Amino acid sequence: MEAHSSEVFVIGLTVFFLACIIGYYVVWSVTPALHSPLMGVTNAISSVIIVGAILAAGPIGHDISKIFGIIGLVLASINIFGGFIVTYRMLSMFKKKPKKEKKD
Amino acid sequence: MSANMVAVLYLLSALLFIFALRGLSHPESSRLGNIFGIVGMVIAIITTLMFKSVLSYAEIGAAIIIGGAIGTFIALRIEMTALPQLVAAFHSLVGIAAVFVAAAAFYDPASFGIGNFGSIGTSSLVEMSIGTFIGAITFSGSILAFGKLQGTVSGKPIVFKFQHTINALILLFIVALIVMFVINQSPTIFWSIVIVSIILGFLVVIPIGGADMPVVVSMLNSYSGWAACGIGFTLSNNLLIITGALVGASGAILSYIMSKGMNRSIISVVLGGFGGEQAASSSSDNSDKVVKQGNAEDAAYIMKNADSVIIVPGYGMAVAQAQHALREMGDILKKEGINVRYAIHPVAGRMPGHMNVLLAEANVPYEEVLELDEINHDFPMTEVSFVIGANDVTNPAAKTDETSPIYGMPILDVEKSQTVLFVKRSMATGYSGVDNELFYRDNTTMLFGDAKKMCEDIVKSLG
């Protein structure tokens, strides 16, 4: 079974280069003040690799690939939750504050 | 769920990720962007859970809950000053997760539709090994970066003889291993690739230290994206390929911006070894020069009588946790009708945008925080520059002294303002190991002491 034909690869490559170009323009439009949140959010979304971990952990049974999948799941989940939450924390600091300060 | 439906949902998820990054173009739209990112991730996970082959929901649910709880706990507790370490640690997790997913695909290719154990297609094997290789490098490189930032490992660059030759040989060895792996699909060789890549990851980050850390952190950010891409190719999953490419591009651009902020090529940062030994520059005979010292009252007096003050924060401010005291000082000055602004050098701190986050944490409005290009021409019209915890990024030698290791680096022109107040713990040099001639100028007053304590004292004197 040669499911992974060269055709599939070429489609992947097309997607890859187009995504790189989108990434290039989108990231240059990010304001420098938000470069730390940018790292936080990219860290969170790069854990979309969890998709692969779910597929590995999916089948019933206890073979080694399932164990790898579950480990991958835990690690990727740490990142997803951690990445989005820390980004949220950073971004809420950039919220416009009401002009009046508490103490005078 | 049909394959087409899956493809459409994955596409939706990828688009949401793009919008998540797009939202960061302005602080006001950024929080919505983060929500897009979360929704995209939820869609990706639920879609995958609907696959026919995915049945063990209990284990998957438990794993996500455990991981999610750990991640939430860490993210809620972390101090904003420790962000660079946290990000480095997270990158290492992406890297090792990629290795585990690749290993799972290797042992059970049927679950991923790429053949059977021992008879995986050649292109899948190549993609798998590249994903593994990048993932493993990201893992060990990030662990070491974490150690350096946290201070558990010396932050000094470690250089030894034949470093680059050794790295090049290891890289060739890995290529040879990948070729062998593609030919015989042996588990031993798969794990050899993992181990040797882990070693290479350590060796790549070892020679980089100090002020180069922002570049390393961005670079590892980029690697974690390419690792996801490699896995995406292995699984023929467009969502992983798109997301990986976005993250990879983002990290690469940040690395580029950071190295430009130091006037160095990415290559030279990667090769490393900057700032280890005392740089042999012409400034070594500064020992007999005198510096003008001042105290908090002097600083308060000088600033109170100024019309405009530009504050230049650096990593030292983060270390001393001085951002809140600093903001308080700024507030008092503003009440006196003084124009107070903050100038951020691209490489200030230990990760891109680090200073902006710390100032935002201390409630400094982001309109008052300006980038180098935006504010540099204002220094000549400014009465007081208040440098706190920064050093190399203000060193005029970068413009004049061709022998200086930091020559050509864009700097904040604080020396053009009428008075420079320089908060510093001691006369030690910055991370580049270069003496700063600014200390000896007539218009410079040194304020020796802890950055936080100094700001608090100034606040007292002002009040």
Side-chain angles (χ1 to χ4, degrees):
Chain A
M1 163 174 128
E2 184 64 1
H4 210 83
S5 61
S6 61
E7 199 184 328
V8 175
F9 175 73
V10 172
I11 293 172
L13 208 60
T14 312
V15 170
F16 172 73
F17 280 114
L18 293 178
C20 283
I21 291 168
I22 292 174
Y24 179 85
Y25 285 104
V26 172
V27 173
W28 273 115
S29 79
V30 172
T31 168
L34 294 179
H35 276 161
S36 286
L38 173 67
M39 299 198 88
V41 86
T42 51
N43 176 69
I45 65 172
S46 64
S47 304
V48 72
I49 212 164
I50 196 169
V51 164
I54 293 176
L55 291 178
I60 302 287
H62 287 288
D63 57 352
I64 184 141
S65 78
K66 178 163 182 164
I67 295 168
F68 289 151
I70 289 184
I71 300 174
L73 259 170
V74 174
L75 297 172
S77 308
I78 297 180
N79 248 307
I80 292 172
F81 283 78
F84 280 126
I85 292 175
V86 88
T87 308
Y88 171 81
R89 277 186 61 196
M90 283 190 253
L91 292 177
S92 33
M93 291 168 183
F94 284 91
K95 221 178 261 180
K96 265 221 162 61
K97 314 285 178 329
K99 270 278 154 270
K100 286 209 179 77
E101 285 287 322
K102 54 263 163 203
K103 51 173 184 191
D104 212 347
Chain B
M1 204 185 291
S2 74
N4 278 338
M5 193 63 198
V6 170
V8 169
L9 288 172
Y10 277 170
L11 174 64
L12 179 61
S13 164
L15 289 175
L16 286 166
F17 288 159
I18 295 172
F19 289 131
L21 300 191
R22 178 69 198 154
L24 291 170
S25 57
H26 195 275
E28 293 308 307
S29 58
S30 59
R31 282 181 302 280
L32 182 63
N34 201 35
I35 292 168
F36 281 146
I38 295 171
V39 174
M41 188 59 79
V42 171
I43 292 176
I45 292 174
I46 292 178
T47 307
T48 316
L49 287 173
M50 308 285 257
F51 275 50
K52 270 202 298 291
S53 65
V54 178
L55 297 163
S56 45
Y57 293 113
E59 287 103 315
I60 293 175
I64 294 182
I65 289 170
I66 294 172
I70 299 173
T72 307
F73 179 74
I74 299 173
L76 287 178
R77 282 203 45 195
I78 195 84
E79 290 273 348
M80 283 296 136
T81 39
L83 268 182
Q85 293 88 303
L86 178 77
V87 168
F90 279 166
H91 289 155
S92 78
L93 296 181
V94 180
I96 195 71
V99 172
F100 278 116
V101 172
F106 171 58
Y107 282 100
D108 183 18
S111 286
F112 298 90
I114 53 168
N116 293 301
F117 184 63
S119 60
I120 304 171
T122 307
S123 58
S124 296
L125 286 169
V126 175
E127 291 152 7
M128 188 186 291
S129 24
I130 292 176
T132 308
F133 161 65
I134 306 174
I137 287 200
T138 312
F139 168 65
S140 53
S142 302
I143 294 236
L144 186 56
F146 170 81
K148 287 191 174 206
L149 289 163
Q150 181 77 16
T152 35
V153 183
S154 159
K156 290 265 169 226
I158 296 165
V159 276
F160 49 88
K161 255 195 168 159
F162 306 121
Q163 203 155 20
H164 307 322
T165 323
I166 292 171
N167 289 353
L169 287 175
I170 293 178
L171 188 62
L172 279 179
F173 182 56
I174 292 173
V175 173
L177 283 174
I178 291 178
V179 171
M180 276 158 72
F181 176 65
V182 170
I183 293 168
N184 66 14
Q185 309 197 11
S186 139
T188 321
I189 297 191
F190 177 83
W191 293 110
S192 308
I193 296 176
V194 174
I195 291 166
V196 179
S197 305
I198 285 179
I199 296 172
L200 185 61
F202 280 126
L203 290 175
V204 166
V205 175
I206 266 188
I208 316 176
D212 282 349
M213 286 321 279
V215 190
V216 180
V217 176
S218 326
M219 230 170 55
L220 293 165
N221 183 234
S222 180
Y223 288 177
S224 69
W226 305 130
C229 247
I231 302 299
F233 274 105
T234 316
L235 311 183
S236 303
N237 184 319
N238 283 343
L239 173 60
L240 260 63
I241 296 177
I242 295 173
T243 315
L246 290 177
V247 177
S250 164
I253 290 174
L254 290 179
S255 316
Y256 169 78
I257 295 173
M258 294 299 113
S259 358
K260 225 179 110 218
M262 295 187 288
N263 187 40
R264 305 176 56 207
S265 70
I266 292 187
I267 310 282
S268 73
V269 175
V270 172
L271 296 180
F274 188 54
E277 59 276 28
Q278 186 67 32
S281 86
S282 55
S283 51
S284 53
D285 54 349
N286 273 331
S287 48
D288 52 338
K289 294 195 202 162
V290 280
V291 298
K292 199 159 71 193
Q293 266 197 57
N295 57 27
E297 284 104 73
D298 303 333
Y301 179 78
I302 293 170
M303 285 194 281
K304 216 170 183 173
N305 288 300
D307 286 328
S308 55
V309 173
I310 295 180
I311 297 171
V312 180
Y315 185 58
M317 180 196 77
V319 174
Q321 301 263 25
Q323 63 269 32
H324 300 278
L326 182 66
R327 196 259 313 155
E328 218 176 309
M329 185 189 95
D331 280 353
I332 298 179
L333 292 173
K334 272 195 289 183
K335 256 182 221 144
E336 301 274 329
I338 299 161
N339 179 16
V340 178
R341 287 174 300 169
Y342 298 78
I344 310 286
H345 192 275
V347 295
R350 287 293 175 271
M351 77 184 280
H354 193 188
M355 289 300 125
N356 302 78
V357 172
L358 293 179
L359 292 175
E361 185 198 12
N363 289 332
V364 174
Y366 57 80
E367 298 92 344
E368 292 173 16
V369 183
L370 300 166
E371 304 298 319
L372 182 130
D373 306 339
E374 297 169 325
I375 200 164
N376 225 8
H377 49 266
D378 284 0
F379 279 105
M381 286 90 82
T382 299
E383 282 164 283
V384 181
S385 293
F386 186 81
V387 184
I388 175 162
N391 185 356
D392 292 336
V393 300
T394 64
N395 193 340
K399 286 185 288 195
T400 51
D401 182 2
E402 281 182 46
T403 62
S404 171
I406 58 168
Y407 180 71
M409 175 170 124
I411 65 156
L412 289 160
D413 295 330
V414 293
E415 87 277 8
K416 289 190 182 154
S417 56
Q418 283 174 27
T419 308
V420 181
L421 297 173
F422 216 110
V423 182
K424 215 168 171 322
R425 261 180 311 195
S426 66
M427 282 302 285
T429 56
Y431 266 102
S432 67
V434 188
D435 200 6
N436 194 342
E437 59 168 280
L438 195 60
F439 302 159
Y440 312 102
R441 298 250 174 130
D442 289 336
N443 62 344
T444 304
T445 301
M446 301 298 292
L447 305 168
F448 289 113
D450 174 73
K452 187 177 176 187
K453 177 109 197 344
M454 183 57 71
C455 290
E456 288 166 354
D457 290 348
I458 294 174
V459 167
K460 265 183 227 147
S461 308
L462 283 169

